[in-house]
């Protein structure tokens, strides 16, 4: 488990660092992302807190900063989904071998899909998809292309699978609007 003082550093320093302007954030974004990933690897529930911070500080006008946030969200979702799959596989393996520590087994059982099992996770999954769609229809062609590519990531696909019907309806409506050049960036 993570000590409370480290969580305080995450909540009071690392997450608010995301609201720096894009020129400053660009200098330390990779290091900031690595720190956030280390927290997530220790405790998956912290990933929801980091994603909440990213949604809260999401830029409205800076395409470069939106691009950084988009990359970070995709990496965090991939990390969280990969750890969930790994933990579930280890639980199944441990069901066969009952010789492991009971504490380790309990920790792995807690690492279930937070996007599916909690209301906050479901809300965040919806918000993440909304941000991806928002980036997809951006006037900046690089940002919209990267948002489209994000839908090919394994973690994002698993996030979409949680609520396929509404998410794919939303995505396909946007794609068909763009096909008819109603909202395309290159008019």
């Amino acid at each position: 488990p993570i000590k409370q003082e480290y969580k305080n550093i995450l909540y009071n320093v690392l997450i608010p660092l995301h609201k720096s302007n894009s020129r400053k954030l660009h200098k330390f974004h990779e290091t900031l992302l690595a720190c956030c990933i280390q927290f997530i690897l220790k405790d998956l529930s912290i990933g929801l807190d980091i994603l909440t911070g990213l949604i809260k500080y999401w830029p409205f006008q800076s395409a470069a900063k939106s691009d950084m946030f988009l990359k970070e969200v995709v990496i965090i979702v991939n990390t969280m989904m990969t750890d969930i799959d790994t933990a579930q596989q280890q639980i199944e393996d441990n069901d066969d071998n009952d010789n492991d520590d009971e504490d380790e087994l309990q920790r792995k059982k807690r690492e279930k899909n937070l996007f599916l099992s909690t209301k906050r996770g479901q809300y965040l999954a919806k918000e993440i998809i909304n941000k991806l769609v928002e980036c997809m229809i951006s006037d900046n062609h690089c940002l919209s292309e990267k948002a489209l590519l994000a839908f090919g990531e394994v973690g994002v696909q698993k996030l979409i699978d949680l609520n396929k019907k509404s998410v794919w309806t939303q995505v396909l409506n946007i794609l068909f609007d763009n096909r008819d050049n109603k909202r395309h960036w290159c008019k």
Side-chain angles (χ1 to χ4, degrees), residues 48-187:
L48 295 179
D49 299 330
I50 294 170
L51 288 170
T52 301
L54 287 172
I55 298 295
K56 178 180 177 182
Y57 298 125
W58 198 278
F60 291 103
Q61 295 181 347
S62 173
K65 193 171 177 182
S66 291
D67 182 39
M68 284 188 270
F69 275 52
L70 179 67
K71 287 178 191 173
E72 188 167 355
V73 165
V74 169
I75 290 171
I76 288 172
V77 168
N78 280 337
T79 302
M80 289 178 71
M81 293 298 194
T82 302
D83 279 2
I84 289 166
D85 289 345
T86 304
Q88 288 174 346
Q89 182 62 39
Q90 288 174 348
I91 289 170
E92 291 170 5
D93 292 344
N94 285 339
D95 288 342
D96 298 336
N97 305 329
D98 292 331
N99 298 335
D100 290 310
D101 286 335
E102 190 64 31
D103 292 338
E104 185 69 16
L105 186 61
Q106 291 299 323
R107 182 187 67 81
K108 290 175 185 168
K109 285 184 180 179
R110 282 193 307 268
E111 291 180 348
K112 57 185 180 245
N113 192 335
L114 297 172
F115 291 112
L116 187 59
S117 63
T118 63
K119 287 188 183 280
R120 183 170 168 231
Q122 292 169 357
Y123 171 77
L124 273 174
K126 183 179 169 186
E127 286 296 312
I128 290 167
I129 297 299
N130 287 341
K131 289 297 180 185
L132 285 173
V133 168
E134 191 178 298
C135 289
M136 207 169 75
I137 61 174
S138 170
D139 290 336
N140 185 299
H141 69 92
C142 291
L143 182 61
S144 59
E145 182 179 347
K146 288 178 183 178
L148 283 169
L149 291 173
F151 281 98
E153 294 288 334
V154 175
V156 175
Q157 289 176 357
K158 289 179 182 179
L159 202 61
I160 290 170
D161 287 344
L162 300 176
N163 192 1
K164 285 181 188 178
K165 189 173 183 178
S166 68
V167 171
W168 280 120
T169 304
Q170 182 182 12
V171 171
L172 290 175
N173 284 338
I174 296 298
L175 289 175
F176 286 126
D177 281 354
N178 282 344
R179 183 193 66 188
D180 297 335
N181 292 325
K182 291 178 186 170
R183 258 196 310 220
H184 196 266
W185 58 268
C186 183
K187 295 175 181 164

Side-chain angles (χ1 to χ4, degrees), residues 14-28:
L14 295 179
I15 293 175
L17 274 174
H18 286 92
K19 61 183 170 182
S20 302
N21 69 25
S22 62
R23 281 177 277 166
K24 290 179 184 174
L25 182 62
H26 182 70
K27 293 177 183 176
F28 60 85

